[in-house]
Amino acid sequence: MRAHRWLLALGLTLAIGAGARDGLDAWVAAAPMPPLLTTTGAEVLDRHGRPLRIYTVADGRWRLAPGQVDPAFTSMLIAFEDQRFRSHAGIDPLAMLRAGAQAVRHGGIVSGASTLTMQVARLLEEGSTGQWAGKLRQIRLALALERRLSKDEILQIYLARAPYGGNIEGIRAATLAWFAKEPRRLTPAEAALLVALPQSPETRRPDRHTDAARAARDRVLDRMARQGVLSFEAAEAAKLDRVPVARRPFPALAPHLADRAVAEDASALRHDLTIDAALQAQLEALAARAVRGLPDAVSVAIVLADHRSGEILASVGSAGIGSGARQGYVDMTAAHRSPGSTLKPVIYAMAFDRGLAHPQTLIDDAPARFGAYAPQNFDGYFRGEVTAADALRQSLNIPPVRLLDAMGPAHLMDVMRRAGLQPKLPGDHAGLAVALGGVGVSLTDMVQLYAALARGGEAMPLRWRQGEDGAPQRILGRAAAWQVGDILAGLAPPANAPARALAYKTGTSYGHRDAWALGWDGAHVAGVWIGRPDGTPVPGAFGGDLAAPILFEAFQRLKPGFDPLPPPPPDTLTVGTAELPQPLRRFAGRGAAFDVARGAPELIFPPDGARMAAQGGLPVKVRGGTPPYTWMANGAPILTGVRAAQASLTGLGQGFSSISVIDATGRSARVTVRLD
């Protein structure tokens, strides 16, 4: 009978145990499971994998994928928080017994019994641990997590979600915020602080409670020494390290390009760009410095690329994203603006490529009218016959318009589009005004166009995302592109800049709205734009004065020296004007424009019958005719051999004077003025 009773008791015990086990299994299996996917902020990384910009998650918290974490930190975390993490099933009965015994002995809670899995359960539920109901719920969820996830997966959730003070969550956000570094390699002091912070993230925040943070860190170091994770010597040495007293700002480089990357692919959490973070930071600082002393509304944009690969290495959209008056939020690398004179090199290259002209071809810089269009030089003067090379170096306006008139503006637009540009015309059709900036282009487009010149006439789309590629397309001949580069390399550089280091061109749009400088060396190409984002004029702004020094300095920030420009291609004709074939010695152009230009001179100032003050010289101005001019007053020559269209006549007395101008062919014009 006694044996039967024992057998019955054993059976009942086993049945109850089995029932309890089944009940526990059912209870755990039925546990409500919160979403296990951890939402992390998007990251925009540079060409070396360094962060350019990091975005918060929807509720404004900094939370990032953990990435590669120092194994020493993980070992320290497990040793401090949950020594049997790798072996228990979600709860640690031994830790619970220890915590309970300590609570009875000391009359209150001395140490907790939460495992890392239970802490993950709390983080997933975003619940508290103070109430028994909450604790029981976390135990249930911890047991369920252990059945569904591996230990490493549970640990990854902790590393992504653990709180580190304020709106910082996860180990990677913490190391960036407190140490400005990735969590791949941490010192013992850094690791100990990061182990201690999640236990009480607000009362131990280093920037607000430095002493409490240091004390908590040192307690972790002491325990690590007792458990043999660290030597006592290493722990004591780590205590000498300073605790950070301020949060480091998260990376926020290339804000315009980063925003564009995220907007184009909002679902991606990682965006790998071709930008170099170190160079980007330097050029953003250069842009901010460049606007000092300029009107408040003026901004600056810079694009720098490797023209060999087509990779954009830096893109600065404004003088500062937070600059209110300067409208720093506007990305001026992408805005369409008038390029001023910066299209002239392409026009000359097209003319050289088509056999219409050569750098040493003589071309007339004299007043001309093309239908209703009568362009003037920037300074109002004309130089007469000049070589094409000199006309480009001096940025004269009439010669490139003559060349474009002979080729047709549509051909320039075609070259621009084949180079990958997206120009915007004010009307339906391109007119000759595009030669002097009568078209809208972006800074990035212009850098891409100049990259084609730098590559010997071969256009390649510039790219700012890694992994993208584009096939090169020839838009100009090698010799023509080299000739233009050789001409531009002969321009005088800004003060203290080396000569012939860059082939570059400056430009100023109509009304001083935009100042440009674009150039290249043997490896890189860059462009600078300065102006007001709203398009209003900036009086006195010239590309040569403002933008060119920034262009040269951008190259100097990139590398210690300039890469040499290439030698001439084998098919390049390098001779003087007299040695050119007869058709290339002088540019004939189209007759309609020259008929006006070669007409009789017209004295357009002063007007006939004008009454003017006699003090100082009398300003005079002629249009048309053939220079050089001879200026006469009352039948006597005052100035001879004058090629410019403007002059000043001195030595005239009071009273009426007859002013005459005679051109090189003997044609003349005359007015009568009264000087008081």
Side-chain angles (χ1 to χ4, degrees):
M1 290 296 293
R2 183 174 298 177
H4 287 292
R5 285 197 296 268
W6 277 108
L7 287 174
L8 182 59
L10 178 60
L12 288 172
T13 302
L14 291 175
I16 293 171
R21 181 200 61 197
D22 292 343
L24 178 64
D25 286 345
W27 181 64
V28 171
M33 188 66 65
L36 300 180
L37 181 64
T38 300
T39 303
T40 56
E43 300 177 55
V44 182
L45 308 179
D46 85 336
R47 61 191 302 106
H48 305 293
R50 296 173 296 194
L52 287 166
R53 191 171 185 193
I54 294 173
Y55 292 80
T56 60
V57 294
D59 53 4
R61 285 180 281 187
W62 296 103
R63 186 197 294 154
L64 303 171
Q68 185 180 351
V69 179
D70 192 335
F73 166 77
T74 306
S75 299
M76 191 180 295
L77 173 67
I78 294 174
F80 188 83
E81 290 284 359
D82 190 358
Q83 295 182 55
R84 285 172 288 278
F85 171 69
R86 295 290 180 184
S87 59
H88 62 61
I91 60 174
D92 187 351
L94 293 177
M96 288 183 173
L97 290 173
R98 184 203 67 227
Q102 289 176 339
V104 171
R105 187 181 312 120
H106 297 280
I109 296 175
V110 174
S111 64
S114 291
T115 62
L116 281 173
T117 311
M118 291 172 64
Q119 294 181 47
V120 167
R122 184 183 76 247
L123 293 171
L124 288 173
E125 288 194 330
E126 299 186 352
S128 64
T129 60
Q131 301 296 324
W132 282 107
K135 181 68 71 175
L136 188 62
R137 189 175 62 252
Q138 287 159 23
I139 290 173
R140 184 186 188 189
L141 181 54
L143 293 170
L145 289 172
E146 290 280 351
R147 297 183 180 189
R148 182 171 296 191
L149 304 176
S150 69
K151 293 289 186 179
D152 287 338
E153 289 172 333
I154 292 171
L155 186 60
Q156 284 297 304
I157 295 176
Y158 179 88
L159 294 176
R161 288 179 173 257
Y164 287 93
N167 60 343
I168 302 171
E169 292 187 1
I171 182 66
R172 187 151 172 257
T175 59
L176 290 171
W178 299 121
F179 309 123
K181 64 189 291 188
E182 296 285 343
R184 288 188 293 267
R185 292 184 64 85
L186 299 172
T187 67
E190 291 169 344
L193 179 62
L194 295 172
V195 168
L197 272 178
Q199 297 177 355
S200 185
E202 292 308 314
T203 62
R204 295 177 180 177
R205 276 185 61 168
D207 59 337
R208 296 182 179 178
H209 309 286
T210 307
D211 292 340
R214 183 184 301 107
R217 178 200 69 179
D218 291 351
R219 285 194 296 272
V220 173
L221 291 170
D222 287 337
R223 186 187 296 185
M224 293 303 99
R226 290 195 301 269
Q227 294 180 201
V229 177
L230 291 175
S231 68
F232 283 98
E233 292 78 11
E236 291 302 314
K239 291 179 182 180
L240 299 177
D241 288 359
R242 298 180 60 185
V243 171
V245 295
R247 275 177 54 166
R248 310 293 182 89
F250 283 88
L253 295 170
H256 301 97
L257 207 56
D259 284 348
R260 195 187 314 172
V262 172
E264 290 181 2
D265 190 1
S267 62
L269 294 178
R270 173 170 173 155
H271 304 267
D272 293 284
L273 308 191
T274 61
I275 299 297
D276 182 280
L279 177 64
Q280 179 74 25
Q282 291 192 62
L283 295 194
E284 287 185 12
L286 173 61
R289 195 197 71 199
V291 297
R292 294 174 188 166
L294 295 177
D296 289 343
V298 174
S299 190
V300 61
I302 306 171
V303 174
L304 193 152
D306 186 326
H307 60 66
R308 299 164 299 183
S309 66
E311 293 179 329
I312 295 178
L313 303 181
S315 179
V316 181
S318 68
I321 193 71
S323 303
R326 302 188 193 280
Q327 300 182 51
Y329 56 88
V330 180
D331 183 2
M332 295 308 299
T333 68
H336 282 76
R337 304 299 289 255
S338 165
S341 297
T342 57
L343 285 177
K344 291 175 182 175
V346 181
I347 296 172
Y348 283 94
M350 290 171 60
F352 298 162
D353 200 28
R354 287 162 170 74
L356 294 176
H358 178 274
Q360 296 305 311
T361 297
L362 294 174
I363 187 167
D364 215 5
D365 179 46
R369 185 179 296 277
F370 305 84
Y373 184 50
Q376 301 288 316
N377 282 329
F378 199 79
D379 59 3
Y381 291 88
F382 299 94
R383 276 75 174 174
E385 273 193 340
V386 294
T387 65
D390 283 340
L392 177 54
R393 288 194 191 100
Q394 297 179 56
S395 198
L396 303 178
N397 286 344
I398 308 304
V401 175
R402 292 187 189 279
L403 293 171
L404 190 61
D405 180 58
M407 295 183 290
H411 289 281
L412 173 60
M413 302 303 297
D414 177 63
V415 167
M416 293 170 67
R417 292 189 177 103
R418 286 193 294 122
L421 278 67
Q422 297 179 325
K424 290 187 176 181
L425 290 167
D428 294 333
H429 302 285
L432 292 177
V434 299
L436 308 182
V439 62
V441 291
S442 71
L443 175 60
T444 302
D445 275 354
M446 288 304 298
V447 173
Q448 183 160 306
L449 186 59
Y450 272 57
L453 293 173
R455 289 174 53 87
E458 195 177 57
M460 175 184 286
L462 296 184
R463 54 191 176 90
W464 47 273
R465 281 190 184 274
Q466 291 192 45
E468 294 181 348
D469 204 356
Q473 179 180 4
R474 181 157 296 283
I475 60 170
L476 294 165
R478 293 181 305 165
W482 180 88
Q483 286 168 329
V484 165
D486 186 59
I487 293 170
L488 297 180
L491 288 175
N496 302 318
R500 296 198 67 83
L502 290 182
Y504 80 104
K505 182 73 179 73
T506 62
T508 305
S509 68
Y510 178 77
H512 299 270
R513 288 173 169 80
D514 311 273
W516 299 76
L518 297 120
W520 71 89
D521 69 359
H524 298 93
V525 60
V528 176
W529 171 91
I530 298 177
R532 287 189 168 118
D534 62 5
T536 54
V538 184
F542 293 93
D545 297 336
L546 295 179
I550 301 173
L551 175 71
F552 276 77
E553 190 168 346
F555 273 86
Q556 292 166 343
R557 299 291 182 95
L558 170 66
K559 51 192 176 183
F562 294 88
D563 287 277
L565 292 163
D571 56 340
T572 306
L573 180 63
T574 54
V575 296
T577 303
E579 298 168 293
L580 287 172
Q582 188 65 38
L584 279 179
R585 293 181 186 177
R586 280 182 171 80
F587 176 69
R590 296 204 312 170
F594 274 73
D595 288 343
V596 175
R598 296 291 187 183
E602 178 186 358
L603 223 168
I604 60 174
F605 190 87
D608 189 38
R611 186 170 183 174
M612 306 182 69
Q615 291 86 358
L618 174 67
V620 291
K621 186 174 183 179
V622 65
R623 179 169 61 200
T626 302
Y629 303 103
T630 298
W631 290 93
M632 304 182 69
N634 302 318
I638 304 297
L639 296 173
T640 60
V642 178
R643 289 192 169 273
Q646 301 184 52
S648 179
L649 307 183
T650 58
L652 303 180
Q654 294 183 347
F656 288 95
S657 290
S658 176
I659 308 299
S660 304
V661 61
I662 305 173
D663 74 354
T665 64
R667 293 169 297 182
S668 64
R670 184 180 67 179
V671 297
T672 299
V673 297
R674 178 178 174 178
L675 301 178
D676 297 329

